[in-house]
Amino acid sequence: MGPAELVQAAAMARRFYLEGKSKIQIAEEFGVSRFKVARVLETALERDLVRIEIRVPSELDAERSDALRARYGLRHAVVVESPADASEDAADPENLGEVAADLLGELVAEGDVLGLAWGRSTIHMAAALHRLPPCTVVQLTGVYDAGTADRGSVEAVRRAADVSGGEAHPIYAPMLLPDSATAAALRGQTGIARAFDYFDKVTVACVSIGSWEPGVSTVYDMLSEQEREHYASLGAAAEMSAHLFDAEGRRIGRDLGERCITVEADRLRRIPEVVAIAGGRRKAAAIGAVLRSGLVTSLVTDTAAADHLLLETGPGPRPALDRADPDGA
């Protein structure tokens, strides 16, 4: 390219890439066809006159995020770099909660109803919240231990409501009860019933995922050894909000749900946006199982889990994106 061509190409590139003008507008300004503008812009790229750089914060892995979104048919997938010092057995790095808090700031709109299920990653997310439009916040599950409610999901609901300036509807009850009759009686109590009344109004939900092993599943840790063996014999591989799934994403152990204070799976499926926060190589298979259930629309995870999920060759996920788009698109 001669000096005149270089100057013209630079001017056209400036109009297109920096000023946002269309090729037709540029063509009219320079008195050429829009096809010539297209050729000049293409040549400017080939000759390194224009460099396009896509930059995201270093802790986010854009390539894995996009691949994971496409592989599992998700609306949003955000993959965070696993901490360099994370052990093979580590699960749910705390930085997942920070990224999930920023994602909720994008997804929640004024007037929405935000549902929060119990989970360490959900609690980390709530603690990291610094912006949230005015919305109602409702608890979707009971607590792991009613005696620690102020340090768990109840506090997460209060924190989110404080940040948003909206109403809070916590649930002061254990997640798992000894029998279905006790659980049914608790569901009828005024405060808990009021929270349950909001379940059908939830527009964005935030949930955690556990694998069927000690220390990585709340439900597993609350059951007796005999009960654990029973559900393991049914193929339990993952748990989300006290719902159990086998490796292919099929729900199992529905009798357990009758003993739990939790949002029903059918109600979860009707929520337009369900964001799961879970990571670590140890949880990867469980995350894949829950994604195949079709109950989750978006995921915040880390590179350790993402690498496993992208290599999985099992059955594809059920279509979660048949739900109405919360943006109406």
Side-chain angles (χ1 to χ4, degrees), residues 22-37:
S22 70
K23 293 173 184 176
I24 293 176
Q25 290 174 313
I26 297 170
E28 290 175 351
E29 178 183 347
F30 287 87
V32 298
S33 72
R34 62 186 176 90
F35 301 105
K36 180 174 181 179
V37 173

Side-chain angles (χ1 to χ4, degrees), residues 8 12 36 45 77 102 104 108 126 128 131 162 188 200 219 223 228 246 254:
Q8 186 182 68
M12 288 183 176
K36 180 174 181 179
L45 285 171
D102 289 339
L104 280 189
V108 176
R131 64 182 177 93
D162 284 345
D200 286 329
V219 172
L223 294 175
R228 294 169 185 166
D246 68 12
R254 293 171 189 256

Side-chain angles (χ1 to χ4, degrees), residues 118 141-144 173-177 218-219 222 241-242 259-261:
W118 195 96
T141 64
V143 298
Y144 175 45
M175 181 188 295
L176 179 66
L177 282 303
T218 300
V219 172
M222 288 192 290
S241 303
R259 296 169 49 194
C260 293
I261 303 297

Side-chain angles (χ1 to χ4, degrees), residues 145-204:
D145 180 351
T148 61
D150 285 343
R151 300 191 299 276
S153 47
V154 170
E155 180 57 31
V157 169
R158 288 174 176 161
R159 165 69 181 167
D162 284 345
V163 173
S164 74
E167 295 181 2
H169 295 276
I171 294 177
Y172 295 95
M175 181 188 295
L176 179 66
L177 282 303
D179 53 67
S180 58
T182 305
L186 277 177
R187 291 189 202 103
Q189 290 187 359
T190 302
I192 297 174
R194 187 180 299 118
F196 268 65
D197 286 342
Y198 272 93
F199 286 179
D200 286 329
K201 303 173 185 176
V202 173
T203 49
V204 180

Side-chain angles (χ1 to χ4, degrees), residues 21-162:
K21 292 187 176 181
S22 70
K23 293 173 184 176
I24 293 176
Q25 290 174 313
I26 297 170
E28 290 175 351
E29 178 183 347
F30 287 87
V32 298
S33 72
R34 62 186 176 90
F35 301 105
K36 180 174 181 179
V37 173
R39 287 196 301 272
V40 170
L41 293 174
E42 184 178 345
T43 302
L45 285 171
E46 292 173 351
R47 299 291 181 86
D48 212 23
L49 186 63
V50 172
R51 296 181 182 180
I52 298 176
E53 186 176 11
I54 300 172
R55 302 180 66 183
V56 296
S58 59
E59 69 270 17
L60 300 183
D61 192 308
E63 186 175 347
R64 284 185 176 92
S65 298
D66 188 55
L68 200 60
R69 178 198 57 76
R71 167 71 176 85
Y72 287 91
L74 297 168
R75 186 171 288 127
H76 303 283
V78 182
V79 177
V80 181
E81 287 287 345
S82 299
D85 57 351
S87 70
E88 184 75 12
D89 293 334
D92 295 343
E94 289 193 21
N95 60 341
L96 293 186
E98 298 169 6
V99 174
D102 289 339
L103 178 61
L104 280 189
E106 291 183 55
L107 299 181
V108 176
E110 184 173 350
D112 274 349
V113 177
L114 172 63
L116 301 181
W118 195 96
R120 295 179 184 87
S121 56
T122 309
I123 293 168
H124 291 154
M125 179 278 300
L129 280 172
H130 57 85
R131 64 182 177 93
L132 206 58
C135 64
T136 299
V137 187
V138 60
Q139 193 170 324
L140 296 178
T141 64
V143 298
Y144 175 45
D145 180 351
T148 61
D150 285 343
R151 300 191 299 276
S153 47
V154 170
E155 180 57 31
V157 169
R158 288 174 176 161
R159 165 69 181 167
D162 284 345

